Each structure stands twice: as C-alpha cells, then as structure tokens.
Amino acid sequence: MSGLLSGLEQFGLSGLENMDLYEKPKREAAAKTAEEQVIQEQDFLFDKTFTCPICDKEFKSRTVKIGKAKLIGTDMDLRPKYEHVDLLKYDIIMCPSCGYAALSRYFKFITSPQAKRIKEIISSKFKPITVQKDIYTYDEALERYKLTLANAIVKMAKPSEKAYICLKTAWLLRGKGEALDKKAPNYEEEKKKVNAQEKEFLKNALDGFLAARQSENFPMCGMDEPTVDYLISVIATRFEQYDVASKLISQVIASPSVNPRMKDKARDLKEQIIKEIRVKNAAK
Ligand SMILES: [Zn+2]
C-alpha cells in the first residue's frame, strides 16, 4: 500500500499509513473441516420468547432445541456431555432490560418480596443489554451464571437452588477448560486458573447441597434423594471429606428404590473412596 494513506502523519498517525485497504483472505479460515461447516452451535438453538416476571417486558432468549443434541456421556458428578455443543451455556434465562436471571427451571417462580428485592438491588443499577448473540462464548455464558448467582443471593433463594447454580457453573468451567487451545502459549496458566475456579464453585455446591439436605424436601432441583446423595458423595470425595462421602454412598447402595445404573455408579464410587482412604493412610 503506497500512497492511499500517506499524509496521515500530520495527524500523528504515521503508524497507520501502511494498513491494507482490503484484508487478505486468511488461510486458517478457509481450512475449516467439512464437519465444522455442516454442524454449527446455532443449529441446536432457537429464539424463545419469555415475559419477565420482574419488569413484565417480553424478550427473546437463546434456547436449546429439545432432542437435537446427542448425549455422549456424563462425568462422575453427572455433568452431561453432548456431541458438538455444550448445552450448559444456554441454561440461563436473563432479562436484558432489568437484569433478572435464573436457571430455566426456576425462572417463572418468584414471590413478590423476592421481586421487590431484585428490583431494588439489581434492576436499579443494571445497564440494559441491546445486542443479541446467536451463540455464547464460555466467558459470556459464565457472566450469565454469575448474574444468576447474584440474583439468587439477592432473592434469598433456598440453599439447593444456589448449590445447583454453583454446580452448573463448575460444570461450565470444566467445559471451558476442556475447550482451551492446548497449543496456545498460555495454555498451562489458563488451565490452572479455570481449574481453580471450578474447584471453588464445586466446594460451594457441596456446602449448599449439604445444607439443603438438612432443611429441604425431595425432589431437589429435579433430583431424587439417592441422586442428590450420590452427587454429594462424589463432590465430597473430591475434597477428601471421606466421612460424609462413605456414609451417603452406603445409604444409596442400601436403598431398595435405586435403579441398577445408579447402584453400579455408587458401588464404583464406594470402591474409589476405600482406595483413596487406604492410600492416604499408607502415606501417614
Ligand atoms: Zn425484566
């Protein structure tokens, strides 16, 4: 590029004189695999209209098409994994006008004192969002989860709801960690950061579910008692709280109403707990 931008120097912008007028086509962009071109994240989503129970305004939110994504497995703590897409990114419904946000299963259910608190503490300061995105990055999804947790604290939600938000945030962070570019120069550092964040949310989920178990009825967050006990056991094991983990997992195994798949998972976990305790005692 010679001449087109010469003279910018007089504005103090000589550094911009060599900019290309037209971008050269990038090779990387052209080298997408056939699969990526065919299957895109937005194929699993559509716009659903909601009415905000706080400010009464209608808005559209990206919502998952039921049955479209294929479940390919679950982590030990029941985090669901789908082919081609991480649906966890789309489980928050957020009003772009007033900042009310909740997990989809809780969105409609709000009492008038709770609405009043959200209006006073969140909506009064919230800057409305005007841009609508087709898909969310992990960081955008994470912001929505954090706003949801803030809403839950403000509305004084039950421990189970707050624990469930923390659990799903931890799952989202695990997804983020798995999606990081392993070739990036700061990969190790980023991965460490994301792992630490995941652990913090998981610990808070554990505390919340333990409190909820003492004070709330089942089903809890759509889970029956053995499922919640199994989940608590898995997370407690991760934090080496073996007393809690062993006690609850034995109850799951002994319960006559538990389905065989859950029972198998529970037996596997029990074995793991026994092994971990043995290793720990041997190191003493
Ligand atoms: Zn609203």
Side-chain angles (χ1 to χ4, degrees), residues 51-57 98 100 110 114-116 118-119 123:
T51 304
C52 177
I54 306 289
C55 71
D56 268 338
K57 291 202 176 101
C98 74
Y100 170 59
I110 189 134
Q114 286 178 324
K116 194 167 165 262
I118 288 171
K119 270 183 203 163
S123 307

Side-chain angles (χ1 to χ4, degrees), residues 157-177:
K158 286 181 183 171
S160 63
E161 185 179 339
K162 289 187 277 192
Y164 203 38
I165 297 166
C166 289
L167 177 67
K168 290 201 159 198
T169 311
W171 287 347
L172 186 80
L173 284 158
R174 198 177 305 156
K176 182 185 171 181

